[in-house]
Amino acid sequence: MSISLVLVIIMAVLFACGVYAMLERSLTRVLIGFLLLGNAANLLLLIVMGVPGKAPFYDSGKTDSAEMSDALPQALTLTAIVITFAISAFLLALIYRSWQLGQADTVIDDADDVALRTRAADEPDDAMDEESRSDDEDVTTDFVGDVASPIRVLHQGDLSQLVDDAPVDRVAVRRTDDETRDTQDGDRP
């Protein structure tokens, strides 16, 4: 089996350019990088397939198995094409929505993320270790000594002190008021 050095170099360049493009903040460049990675993966599977041979189902028994083409890399290539297409469609939808919302496809830092990053940089390295240490090494939970019991849902009939003041839909409230009035007047059985 002889592998073309040109195909290996092209595949390596596609992988390198794809990874470089995916590290950018622009979603369009991320999409281009992902497409480059998908094509590089397809080229890798093409290289792994080796020298093209005869189709295994073409000659029944006349062709030596060494001369037949391997069908597994071809199936994997088809799968890689479908996955690349699906994720590309998803990324295109993200780019379109990002453009609709902000007229740009660049991902910016969130203010909360920046604040968290600066707070983490200001804290000493051992701050997290001190918080995680406990006096008792055997304790694995904060609920030591509590008896585990199944959850029981209480209703208004279970306890007289229980007040059911959950918000309800206005339509249901009107219907309930109408039903109450009807039962008080004696119209309904």
Side-chain angles (χ1 to χ4, degrees):
M1 180 171 119
S2 65
I3 299 173
S4 173
L5 184 63
V6 175
L7 287 179
V8 173
I9 291 172
I10 291 173
M11 180 201 60
V13 168
L14 283 175
F15 269 121
C17 292
V19 169
Y20 180 76
M22 285 185 74
L23 294 176
E24 295 291 326
R25 287 194 172 269
S26 171
L27 291 176
T28 306
R29 289 186 183 180
V30 170
L31 174 66
I32 292 171
F34 184 76
L35 290 173
L36 288 173
L37 281 178
N39 287 329
N42 292 338
L43 193 56
L44 172 67
L45 291 170
L46 181 71
I47 292 170
V48 167
M49 187 172 58
V51 179
K54 295 182 180 177
F57 56 85
Y58 185 67
D59 285 336
S60 57
K62 297 180 185 177
T63 308
D64 187 24
S65 63
E67 296 175 3
M68 291 183 191
S69 219
D70 189 10
L72 181 65
Q74 296 171 8
L76 291 175
T77 302
L78 286 174
T79 306
I81 289 170
V82 170
I83 291 171
T84 302
F85 176 73
I87 295 178
S88 299
F90 177 71
L91 283 172
L92 278 172
L94 283 178
I95 292 168
Y96 178 71
R97 184 66 178 157
S98 174
W99 185 260
Q100 274 185 335
L101 292 177
Q103 297 297 321
D105 69 339
T106 304
V107 178
I108 57 173
D109 283 337
D110 188 32
D112 294 334
D113 291 340
V114 173
L116 183 64
R117 194 177 313 134
T118 56
R119 189 184 85 189
D122 294 341
E123 291 180 0
D125 292 338
D126 296 334
M128 291 297 289
D129 293 335
E130 291 173 8
E131 290 177 9
S132 65
R133 290 187 190 126
S134 107
D135 295 335
D136 190 10
E137 296 295 327
D138 296 333
V139 176
T140 58
T141 180
D142 292 337
F143 303 106
V144 176
D146 288 343
V147 177
S149 61
I151 296 174
R152 182 168 180 251
V153 178
L154 296 177
H155 299 286
Q156 198 168 7
D158 296 333
L159 295 172
S160 60
Q161 299 88 6
L162 188 64
V163 178
D164 189 13
D165 58 350
V168 293
D169 192 16
R170 291 183 186 266
V171 175
V173 171
R174 278 191 220 127
R175 191 175 325 129
T176 306
D177 291 340
D178 292 340
E179 290 174 4
T180 308
R181 230 179 288 123
D182 290 341
T183 55
Q184 289 173 354
D185 293 340
D187 295 339
R188 291 181 76 193

